[in-house]
Amino acid sequence: AHLLLTCSLCARSSLGRRSWGRRVWPALPLCSPSVLSQRSLPALSSTRMHRRSRVGLLPLAVLLLAVTGCVTAWTPAGLHLKSPTSVTAARLESARGGYRETGLCRLRGGAAGARMDGGKDVQFVTNKMCPFAQKVWVCLEEKKVDYDLVEVGLYGSGGKPDWFMKLNPKGLVPVLKHGSKGVTESNDVCRYIDANFGAKGSLSPGGSSEVDAWLKLMDSEVLPAGKAMVNGGSNAEAFHQAMSKFESKLKGPFLLGDTFSLADVTASPMMWRIMTEKRLGVTEDKYPKTAAWMDEVKKRPSFAATVVSSWWWWW
């Protein structure tokens, strides 16, 4: 992507076209592929450049290519890119000084000064690439909550928005804002949604004890062992022991049996990543019940609506 960008810049410079925005280049962060968006190029090409700026395009392009190659090494471990990523909250809008629709919510201002401007009582602050935030997204869709989705950029030169840090001083997504109340930590947010929206408690059949047992298995065994595998590949035995426990505990067709529950909501985003990453060896022949469960999960509109083509593990 960076090579094509550089070639495009050089070609435009040599042909004397004036299509790259004079105010966009200074505002762009040092981008790794996790930040560069398929929407960024049309946004840039919609503005114009002064004639005097064309002389410096070639050195600038070369510098951009070199610097972004270095920044790529800083990109979070486990980044998985299949296509250009979704643009972050207000990163490119800061260059144009306006706002645009992001999902169901408007964002105004630049990265540091952006603020939520949605009209709904429930606002879901997220980054669509994050599996922990995806849990909450699935839960909101499953419970059919009317909400504004606000996507926040978590990396880059602009930093995290001030309003976001006030919502969660840890600087982590997801955050659910319900009226004046803010809820953080993905599992807690999912429990809050189940207890306060739709048919209350409908995602916790028979109480929360079975759901809690699945949360514990995922958080204390599957995720730590999976993290070691993704980061270094040196913990295969512990990882497959955890996966075998997941397989044997699964009732089918869903984790607790016939009913889709919070256990499925919270486990599915990370398990989808694990099963997508073929090198981890979680295959249908080794884990047939798990594969069948994931097939059922993927059929649910609430899960399908939250799957993005580019994602990260973000342990």
Side-chain angles (χ1 to χ4, degrees):
H2 294 304
L3 182 58
L4 289 173
L5 177 61
T6 304
C7 293
S8 178
L9 286 172
C10 296
R12 289 174 181 271
S13 177
S14 63
L15 292 174
R17 295 181 180 176
R18 301 186 300 162
S19 60
W20 294 87
R22 63 181 181 274
R23 297 188 61 196
V24 174
W25 273 117
L28 275 176
L30 298 179
C31 295
S32 70
S34 64
V35 177
L36 192 64
S37 167
Q38 59 187 349
R39 301 181 208 168
S40 64
L41 297 181
L44 293 172
S45 62
S46 65
T47 53
R48 305 181 72 84
M49 170 174 278
H50 279 195
R51 186 181 302 276
R52 65 176 179 270
S53 302
R54 294 203 308 267
V55 177
L57 268 179
L58 180 57
L60 178 60
V62 174
L63 178 62
L64 176 66
L65 186 61
V67 171
T68 52
C70 297
V71 174
T72 300
W74 168 81
T75 302
L79 179 70
H80 189 286
L81 293 170
K82 286 190 175 179
S83 65
T85 67
S86 175
V87 72
T88 52
R91 177 102 32 224
L92 293 175
E93 287 308 303
S94 64
R96 292 187 287 178
Y99 70 79
R100 64 174 174 79
E101 294 289 338
T102 302
L104 301 173
C105 186
R106 291 190 221 178
L107 301 177
R108 296 184 183 273
R115 65 185 185 274
M116 290 189 294
D117 192 25
K120 297 183 175 63
D121 192 44
V122 178
Q123 294 177 323
F124 170 45
V125 185
T126 185
N127 187 291
K128 293 180 180 179
M129 298 175 75
C130 171
F132 301 101
Q134 189 184 356
K135 297 180 190 179
V136 175
W137 198 2
V138 173
C139 197
L140 287 166
E141 290 292 321
E142 189 69 30
K143 299 283 284 192
K144 302 187 184 306
V145 179
D146 189 22
Y147 64 94
D148 281 336
L149 186 151
V150 184
E151 190 171 11
V152 177
L154 302 177
Y155 298 95
S157 59
K160 299 172 184 178
D162 293 338
W163 59 262
F164 174 62
M165 295 303 296
K166 290 178 181 178
L167 282 177
N168 187 1
K170 293 181 180 179
L172 301 176
V173 292
V175 178
L176 188 79
K177 190 171 183 294
H178 183 202
S180 60
K181 183 179 180 64
V183 188
T184 61
E185 302 298 332
S186 59
N187 290 341
D188 292 340
V189 178
C190 288
R191 289 191 181 98
Y192 180 86
I193 293 169
D194 190 34
N196 290 277
F197 298 97
K200 297 182 179 181
S202 61
L203 294 177
S204 303
S208 61
S209 58
E210 283 192 282
V211 171
D212 290 342
W214 275 103
L215 293 178
K216 183 178 180 180
L217 174 61
M218 287 297 299
D219 292 345
S220 64
E221 298 187 50
V222 175
L223 266 61
K227 177 180 179 179
M229 279 285 287
V230 170
N231 290 340
S234 59
N235 203 29
E237 183 177 354
F239 173 67
H240 285 286
Q241 284 179 352
M243 284 304 309
S244 294
K245 187 176 293 187
F246 188 100
E247 174 83 2
S248 62
K249 186 177 176 63
L250 198 164
K251 293 181 178 179
F254 299 109
L255 297 184
L256 299 186
D258 293 332
T259 305
F260 187 80
S261 70
L262 275 184
D264 303 285
V265 167
T266 55
S268 54
M270 191 62 76
M271 288 300 299
W272 177 78
R273 285 160 171 76
I274 287 173
M275 300 193 73
T276 299
E277 196 73 19
K278 300 301 183 185
R279 65 189 176 93
L280 298 182
V282 181
T283 58
E284 184 176 0
D285 59 327
K286 291 183 180 178
Y287 302 99
K289 289 170 60 180
T290 301
W293 164 75
M294 182 52 63
D295 286 342
E296 291 299 318
V297 168
K298 289 190 291 187
K299 293 176 184 177
R300 297 192 76 81
S302 59
F303 183 82
T306 68
V307 173
V308 293
S309 58
S310 300
W311 46 268
W312 56 33
W313 295 98
W314 200 10
W315 297 99

